[in-house]
Amino acid sequence: MKSVQIGNFDSLSTAPTNWAGNIAFGASSVLHPATVEQAQAAVRSSHKVRVLGSGHSFNRIADTNGTLISLSKLKRNISIDAEAQSVTIDGGATYADIAPQLHRAGFALANVASLPSITVAGAVVTATHGSGDGNKNLSAAVSALKLITTDGELISLKRGDAAFEGAVVSLGSLGVIVELTLDIVPSFDIRQNVYLNLPMATVTNRLDELMSRAYSVSLFTRWQGETTDQIWVKARAQAGEPAEEIFGATPATIPCHPIPGMDGTSCTRQMGVVGPWHERLFHFAIGSTASAGAELQSEFFVARKDAPTAIEALHAVQDTFAPALFISEIRSVAADNLWLSSAYQQDTIGFHFTWKPDWEPALSAIGAIEATLRPLRARPHWAKVFTMPSDEVQALFPRLTDFCDLADRLDSASKFRNRFVTDLLFA
Ligand SMILES: Cc1cc2nc3c(=O)[nH]c(=O)nc-3n(C[C@H](O)[C@H](O)[C@H](O)COP(=O)(O)OP(=O)(O)OC[C@H]3O[C@@H](n4cnc5c(N)ncnc54)[C@H](O)[C@@H]3O)c2cc1C
């Protein structure tokens, strides 16, 4: 890797890796522009470019053999428009950067993912999501964005523009997002309770009742035996006192971690203590460490109506993948209209898998999951590990051709395409 100085950019001389350590980026240089103008200069002077967010993806989506640009040194900009109920932020900001400030100003994001330390831009281009029947994935909160395109020029796109619904979930392939505007709502309080040992048959038979019983519900299971491990219920405070039991599942009496046996004190406060949205909706508390990174992740999304079939099918083949698993999480995500969203035009249930960090057993388990969910046309999470062939992936996204046309228009030099997206989407 070259050590590069352009203007007063910093550069790295060692190859960075992703958070999990399973990907060593192949970039010839890594630049940390401190201003948008420096980022524009970096794009102009580079043949191939990708942006690196916080590096929490598990595949080569952020990789490049050209220039990797990190926006972590951009000045944090968090500008709230109370009347428009929106916040405008810079392209390097993380949810941990913006959430406390939003709360202090009396506002909230409608939903967040499990981890606060990921960048907003990295989350929205990959259709990252939380849970909740009424909650869309995080990309759906974007109302405008500013992009540096191939020639270094800045363009703005806003909701309602012809290309907008194609430009948000972009897998980082349209340019460098230097600014985003997000919808916000008045701040709200949440009460989080964890319940243990729900029979798996109840999940299959009463999924709608389970998922709709609170603002955000997650089910955690190791797919072993006949019960799920935990239900995390995040309810609006005004919804009243928590249930004493849920279909036979009983309340936890100590703080829980999604992975049974791990220390729950790194997680957001549980056991019904009311607190602000940003201290309950993430699973992991701002400033805490989720885990050491010794894990891999995959996730597949099926249409909501097919979820009971998916659960039964996965339960039936549990022995083919459970030994490689730390934990699995089942969440609901509402439909949106973003072309490459995993919830494009269908209410969706996501089946997430946190794998032990052993590549071969994890790959074999992922293959078993994909084979099981193939008849249900399960869409993969763009930022996690999957092995489905590209033609199968392409067939799952009806607006893919429109997205490729948009990419050809905005990035005629294919500067922002890396091998991962070229093979997956453009081949
Ligand atoms: C512990 C853990 C928990 C997680 N929890 C969840 C969860 O609850 N729900 C969920 O859906 N996912 C989850 N994920 C996955 C995670 O949300 C995604 O990997 C997300 O992309 C991470 O954001 P990042 O900033 O690390 O992006 P990176 O991994 O750095 O990059 C991802 C993509 O975004 C692009 N990108 C980043 N910034 C920009 C920019 N400014 N302009 C253009 N492109 C850009 C990159 O080029 C790349 O293509 C989790 C991951 C981990 C490690």
Side-chain angles (χ1 to χ4, degrees), residues 393-413:
V393 174
Q394 290 170 16
L396 298 169
F397 293 89
R399 300 295 301 269
L400 181 78
T401 308
D402 296 325
F403 176 79
C404 293
D405 291 346
L406 176 63
D408 285 342
R409 279 209 309 282
L410 293 183
D411 182 21
S412 51

Side-chain angles (χ1 to χ4, degrees), residues 1 12 28 36 72 76-77 80 84 106 126 136 210 256 269:
M1 165 170 293
L12 295 182
S28 55
V36 170
S72 61
R76 290 291 81 86
N77 166 35
I80 297 170
T126 57
K136 298 178 180 176
L210 277 167
C256 294
R269 194 89 183 265

Side-chain angles (χ1 to χ4, degrees), residues 237-299:
Q238 67 265 35
E241 290 300 310
E244 283 176 17
E245 49 106 34
I246 299 179
F247 303 134
T250 51
T253 52
I254 54 164
C256 294
H257 190 283
I259 302 176
M262 283 189 71
D263 180 10
T265 55
S266 61
C267 297
T268 46
R269 194 89 183 265
Q270 301 163 15
M271 289 185 290
V273 181
V274 172
W277 63 278
H278 67 297
E279 295 179 3
R280 298 293 182 277
L281 284 182
F282 299 110
H283 292 340
F284 300 103
I286 293 175
S288 74
T289 308
S291 72
E295 64 187 50
L296 298 165
Q297 296 185 8
S298 305
E299 191 165 15

